[in-house]
Amino acid sequence: MAHASDGRSLEFRLPDLGEGLTEAEIVRWLVEVGDVVAVDQPVVEVETAKAMVEVPCPYGGVVTARFGEEGAELPVGAPLVTVAVGEVDGAEDAAADGPARGTGAAEAPAAKTPAAEKKAEGSGNVLVGYGTSEAPARRRRVRPDRPAATGVSGRANGRVRAAGPVDGPVRVAEPADGPVPVISPLVRRLARQHDLDLRELAGSGPDGLILRADVEYALRAAAAQGGRTADQEAGAIRVPDAASASSGAFSAPSAGPHPDGTRVPLKGVRGAVADKLSRSRREIPDATCWVDADATELMRARTAMNASGGPRISLVALLARICTAALARFPELNSTVDTEAREIVRLDRVHLGFAAQTDRGLVVPVVRDAHARDAEGLTAEFARLTEAARAGRLTPGDLTGGTFTLNNYGVFGVDGSTPIINHPEAAMLGVGRIVPKPWVHEGELAVRQVVQLSVTFDHRVCDGGTAGGFLRYVADCVEQPAVLLRTL
């Protein structure tokens, strides 16, 4: 087994993945304890509320510990791996290697050369484009009277589990009986907001770890027993002690009126969607208007484009091109509301999101600068993002920064919808299925390709006249694509 020769172990923590994300779920470990890793080599694949990403480690050396099993959720800043850094000897030296010993060298590291200092600092490129800083180097002294940890392959009931021996000092696991067994800063904040003393709680997590569900249950119990909310409590909230918790009195939150139902945690993509849509419904006074349109000429125009050779043009690309042209005429809908400043911010560029249903749930990839792309460019970008969404390869940058959303719910075989606006945007264009229907065309009844269009908008940014004008222009372009020639 290769080992680090300078006897220093650096701890790499889960970095800030950007866009306000506070936690991530471990999907798959890419390294084992004892593996030699290079600088910026991915060590774990995690799933955030926005995407699945591979997290590269900014240090090179031997992996001496891993923290968390696959499926576990870790908050930002929690340890991921520890790496013994320095020169790595060949694998043939493994037989002569012995367990780490606490020596004077561990207490007083030798002077480092500039190259070694640079190596220890790491690259800082944890996630390209998200400005993560290098993880702090942490050195722990291995005491002679306590056997040093020799490797970690995972966790069992919250405790670090030993694996094969690894040379060099490694991170010694912290005692599980700390003052307050809480990891998540969200749990601490929730308790603080309700004047709840965490020391009086018996956690239901591994080794008594206090979870958010424990705090919420304690608040509900206190409110029910005292006839008042937790915010009105003058002192600490009394909850059952550890003994009663272990006997079942405080093992889990109440099952409620449906004890036989299946509970599905709101986390990951599903949790992010729930939070965002709930916020949109709370903050945005939305309204919807709709109109039927004859899409026969648009379908013929697309057929003629694809018959002329070159890349095939998708229908959603044509709808997107119509959408950006309409936003140029009605820029009020390409905006957002700054609630703190009480200002409407009209945006100069159109970053067009489009709703895509995947195995992981609903995602909204974003086409950057859609207003500057032609039909071919839009088709190519829609295809790239759709394929990445289905494969789970979308990055946080692909899923954020949208200014307007195109929602083609016609793919589900439905005509209309009243969607919820993608916060903090101000509007969304909805497109239903295109189906043959009776239609009065040039004074006669005929069978035409008809589609229902709708626009859902934030009533704070404009009145119904603006939204109606936008939708009418979109419908005119669908019925007579030549209308677009005026702005091309």
Side-chain angles (χ1 to χ4, degrees):
M1 182 185 301
H3 69 279
S5 62
D6 71 345
R8 290 186 302 109
S9 185
L10 301 181
E11 185 179 84
F12 173 48
R13 295 172 175 265
L14 179 65
D16 180 0
L17 302 176
E19 305 296 340
L21 300 175
T22 59
E23 58 189 13
E25 178 181 338
I26 297 176
V27 176
R28 180 168 58 99
W29 282 105
L30 305 178
V31 295
E32 300 287 344
V33 171
D35 286 356
V36 179
V37 295
V39 172
D40 286 344
Q41 176 179 333
V43 294
V44 65
E45 184 179 40
V46 301
E47 181 179 20
T48 70
K50 297 182 181 295
M52 282 198 295
V53 294
E54 292 183 350
V55 181
C57 178
Y59 309 121
V62 179
V63 177
T64 57
R66 296 188 326 192
F67 300 94
E69 296 180 345
E70 293 179 358
E73 279 194 355
L74 298 179
V76 169
L80 277 178
V81 295
T82 55
V83 179
V85 301
E87 294 185 16
V88 179
D89 296 337
E92 64 274 9
D93 295 336
D97 291 341
R101 294 181 175 88
T103 64
E107 300 178 7
K112 295 179 289 184
T113 64
E117 290 179 353
K118 183 176 181 181
K119 191 171 190 177
E121 290 173 358
S123 69
N125 297 327
V126 177
L127 282 179
V128 177
Y130 284 85
T132 54
S133 59
E134 67 264 11
R138 300 189 62 180
R139 304 173 190 171
R140 294 187 179 270
R141 180 180 305 170
V142 181
R143 298 180 181 177
D145 59 346
R146 181 184 301 177
T150 57
V152 177
S153 60
R155 285 179 180 265
N157 296 326
R159 297 183 181 275
V160 180
R161 183 173 66 250
V166 176
D167 280 349
V170 297
R171 183 179 186 274
V172 178
E174 297 290 342
D177 56 349
V180 182
V182 178
I183 293 179
S184 172
L186 299 178
V187 173
R188 292 184 182 275
R189 183 174 65 183
L190 182 63
R192 231 179 7 251
Q193 289 173 344
H194 295 84
D195 296 326
L196 176 62
D197 188 356
L198 290 172
R199 297 175 186 274
E200 297 190 12
L201 289 186
S204 60
D207 287 335
L209 182 68
I210 298 175
L211 307 177
R212 180 172 180 173
D214 300 328
V215 175
E216 292 175 342
Y217 176 70
L219 296 175
R220 288 196 302 269
Q225 293 171 3
R228 51 187 174 174
T229 64
D231 292 284
Q232 296 171 328
E233 288 287 338
I237 298 176
R238 297 183 178 275
V239 296
D241 56 17
S244 60
S246 62
S247 65
F250 186 50
S251 58
S254 172
H258 304 289
D260 297 332
T262 300
R263 291 176 175 262
V264 180
L266 274 176
K267 64 178 184 178
V269 173
R270 185 72 263 159
V273 170
D275 292 341
K276 196 163 192 177
L277 296 184
S278 298
R279 182 178 181 184
S280 176
R281 187 58 86 194
R282 286 194 307 268
E283 294 185 8
I284 299 178
D286 61 325
T288 301
C289 55
W290 55 90
V291 66
D292 289 340
D294 180 2
T296 305
E297 296 303 322
L298 179 65
M299 301 299 286
R300 288 175 179 172
R302 175 174 176 253
T303 300
M305 290 179 188
N306 291 335
S308 64
R312 293 182 61 83
I313 304 300
S314 66
L315 179 60
V316 69
L318 293 179
L319 293 170
R321 184 66 189 87
I322 293 172
C323 187
T324 57
L327 289 174
R329 287 183 168 238
F330 300 92
E332 297 91 340
L333 296 176
N334 192 54
S335 61
T336 187
V337 176
D338 186 339
T339 54
E340 293 185 1
R342 293 186 62 82
E343 294 176 341
I344 297 172
V345 183
R346 292 184 181 172
L347 306 169
D348 298 328
R349 301 159 69 183
V350 178
H351 300 316
L352 187 65
F354 65 99
Q357 192 70 35
T358 70
D359 293 340
R360 298 175 59 236
L362 177 69
V363 294
V364 185
V366 177
V367 177
R368 305 284 170 183
D369 295 317
H371 60 288
R373 299 175 186 262
D374 58 15
E376 286 188 2
L378 288 168
T379 297
E381 187 65 0
F382 276 121
R384 182 188 72 82
L385 291 171
T386 301
E387 176 59 29
R390 290 171 178 167
R393 297 194 308 266
L394 289 172
T395 67
D398 292 329
L399 293 165
T400 53
T403 64
F404 188 94
T405 296
L406 173 62
N407 190 354
N408 181 21
Y409 43 73
V411 297
F412 301 120
V414 298
D415 296 323
S417 173
T418 55
I420 300 176
I421 295 174
N422 188 22
H423 185 281
E425 298 171 13
M428 174 185 295
L429 176 67
V431 182
R433 60 176 180 164
I434 301 177
V435 292
K437 287 184 178 181
W439 189 267
V440 177
H441 176 66
E442 296 180 350
E444 297 182 356
L445 190 63
V447 177
R448 307 285 286 182
Q449 300 291 321
V450 179
V451 62
Q452 185 179 99
L453 305 170
S454 67
V455 60
T456 299
F457 63 100
D458 185 341
H459 229 311
R460 296 174 298 178
V461 305
C462 68
D463 295 326
T466 301
F470 170 89
L471 187 60
R472 186 64 256 170
Y473 179 80
V474 170
D476 289 345
C477 291
V478 167
E479 293 183 339
Q480 304 176 53
V483 172
L484 276 178
L485 294 175
R486 295 177 62 90
T487 58
L488 292 180

